[in-house]
Amino acid sequence: TTPVLKVTSTCLVLVNKKYNQLNIQGHPHKMSSLFQDWAVSAAAVSTATTWTHPMDLVKVRLQLLHAGKQSKNILSVSHLVRTTVAISRTEGVIALWSGLGPALSRSVIYGGTRLGLYKPMKELFGAVPRESSAVTQETWSNLGRRTLAAVSSATIGSFFGHPFDVLKVRMQAKQMSFWAALRYDYKNSPRSLYAGLMPAIWRASVITTAQCIGYDDSKDFLIRRGWDSTFVGTHFVASLMAGFISTTLSNPVDVIKTKVMVVKKESGSRSMLSVLQALLREEGPRALLKGWTASYIRLGPHTTLIFLSNEFYRKLANMNQL
C-alpha cells in the first residue's frame, strides 16, 4: 500500500496547490465548489447504493460459487432469480441488505471522492470540453487527460474507501455481522483490510473512466443531435450506456478482487496473479464473467441512479450540470 499512499498524497497535494492558486487569483468559490462536488457525489452514490445493494450481494454470491454444474448457467437471468429467492428463503429478505452499513460508508468516502474529484482533476490536468464532433489529435490528447483525471480520482477514493469494501464483501459472502467481519483474519489486520487493494484500484479506475467519460461523451453525443441537456431522458440514456460499458470492462477485475478479499492468508498466496492463475486453471476464462448479469442489473441502474441523483442534487444546490 506504500506506493499507493505516495500517489494518493501527491495527487491531493497537487489538487490543493491548484485550488490555492485559484483562490489567490480571485476565485475563492473554487474550494467551496470542490466540497460541493464531493458532497453531491457522495449523496448521489449513497442513494444509488441503497436501492441496488441486493443485486450487489447476489453478484458477490455468484462470483464465489465453485466450478461445477451451477457455473454453466452462471450468466442466466433464471440463475440470478433462483439465487435471490434462495437467499430470501433461507436467510430472510432482510439478508439482501447485509453489509449495507459499510456499503454506505464506502459510498460516502469512495464514491464521493472518485466522482467528486473528477471535475477538479480534469481542471488540474488541463482537460477541456469538446467544441466539435470532429476527431482530431487534440481530441485524443484531451481523452488522455480525462482518463488520467478519472484514474487519479479513483485511486484516491479506493485507498480511503477500500477497508469498508472489504468489510462489506466479508459480510455478504460469509453472512457475518459487522464486528465479526472486522475481526475476521485479525492476525493480519489492519493489513487484511487492504487485501485486494490493487485489483480494487484497477476496477475503480476502469469503472470511473467508463462512467465519467462514457457519460460525458454520451450526453454530448445526444445533445449534438438535438436532445435537451436538461431533459431527464438525456441523462437516463447516457447513464445506461456508461453502465453497460462499465460492467463489461470491470467484471473480470471485480471477480479477482472478490476472490482475493475472502481468502485467508494462511490458505496460501492471495496475490492477484496467483488468484487469476488458479481461477483460469480450475474454471476457465468463462469464470471471469461470473455474475455479469447480476453486475449489470446492479451497475446499470446504479450508474443511472448516480447520474440522475447527481444532476438532481446539483440542481437543488444551484450548481452547474455535469
Side-chain angles (χ1 to χ4, degrees):
T1 60
T2 302
V4 177
L5 179 58
K6 290 181 179 179
V7 173
T8 299
S9 59
T10 300
C11 290
L12 289 175
V13 169
L14 289 174
V15 171
N16 183 61
K17 182 178 179 181
K18 175 70 173 181
Y19 275 79
N20 284 338
Q21 291 175 350
L22 291 170
N23 286 340
I24 295 174
Q25 295 170 2
H27 299 278
H29 67 284
K30 285 293 183 179
M31 285 307 295
S32 62
S33 176
L34 176 62
F35 174 77
Q36 284 181 322
D37 281 333
W38 176 82
V40 167
S41 296
V45 176
S46 297
T47 300
T49 297
T50 301
W51 287 100
T52 61
H53 189 75
M55 286 299 98
D56 185 48
L57 182 138
V58 174
K59 178 200 69 174
V60 170
R61 298 288 181 88
L62 286 174
Q63 289 174 339
L64 294 175
L65 283 176
H66 223 308
K69 183 177 179 180
Q70 287 184 325
S71 64
K72 294 180 180 180
N73 298 318
I74 197 70
L75 304 180
S76 67
V77 175
S78 60
H79 190 79
L80 168 64
V81 173
R82 287 197 300 271
T83 303
T84 305
V85 172
I87 293 174
S88 301
R89 286 180 175 176
T90 59
E91 304 172 37
V93 176
I94 195 66
L96 292 173
W97 276 269
S98 177
L100 180 60
L104 289 177
S105 299
R106 175 179 178 272
S107 295
V108 172
I109 298 174
Y110 162 71
T113 302
R114 75 180 180 91
L115 296 179
L117 285 181
Y118 175 63
K119 288 184 67 177
M121 284 293 183
K122 284 200 300 182
E123 296 181 14
L124 176 66
F125 293 119
V128 296
R130 291 181 61 181
E131 297 181 354
S132 69
S133 58
V135 178
T136 62
Q137 184 176 354
E138 179 60 27
T139 301
W140 293 111
S141 177
N142 198 48
L143 176 62
R145 297 189 189 102
R146 290 190 294 160
T147 301
L148 186 58
V151 171
S152 299
S153 60
T155 300
I156 295 172
S158 293
F159 183 82
F160 290 108
H162 189 72
F164 296 99
D165 196 20
V166 173
L167 292 174
K168 180 199 70 172
V169 171
R170 287 175 181 174
M171 291 175 69
Q172 291 175 335
K174 299 181 177 296
Q175 300 95 59
M176 293 179 172
S177 66
F178 174 80
W179 294 111
L182 190 61
R183 293 192 301 269
Y184 181 79
D185 200 15
Y186 68 91
K187 293 181 180 179
N188 296 304
S189 295
R191 181 177 296 180
S192 67
L193 292 177
Y194 277 93
L197 176 61
M198 289 311 299
I201 290 177
W202 289 7
R203 176 181 180 272
S205 298
V206 170
I207 288 181
T208 303
T209 301
Q211 284 182 333
C212 293
I213 296 180
Y215 184 76
D216 282 348
D217 289 349
S218 297
K219 186 178 178 182
D220 180 71
F221 174 82
L222 295 173
I223 292 173
R224 291 183 185 280
R225 279 153 183 76
W227 292 53
D228 186 355
S229 63
T230 61
F231 180 44
V232 176
T234 304
H235 307 157
F236 178 76
V237 174
S239 59
L240 278 183
M241 296 169 66
F244 181 85
I245 297 172
S246 301
T247 303
T248 304
L249 295 179
S250 68
N251 203 82
V253 181
D254 194 29
V255 171
I256 298 172
K257 183 197 73 169
T258 302
K259 290 280 189 180
V260 170
M261 281 183 180
V262 297
V263 175
K264 284 190 176 182
K265 193 69 173 179
E266 290 82 359
S267 63
S269 175
R270 57 180 176 188
S271 67
M272 290 172 52
L273 182 59
S274 63
V275 170
L276 175 60
Q277 290 175 336
L279 193 66
L280 293 177
R281 181 176 61 253
E282 297 172 7
E283 304 179 44
R286 184 180 175 82
L288 293 175
L289 289 179
K290 269 190 173 182
W292 187 94
T293 304
S295 293
Y296 180 72
I297 290 177
R298 174 193 173 271
L299 191 57
H302 189 260
T303 302
T304 300
L305 287 171
I306 284 177
F307 288 112
L308 289 179
S309 300
N310 210 319
E311 297 280 15
F312 176 73
Y313 293 146
R314 294 179 76 88
K315 184 177 181 180
L316 289 180
N318 293 318
M319 298 170 64
N320 293 331
Q321 293 185 20
L322 289 173

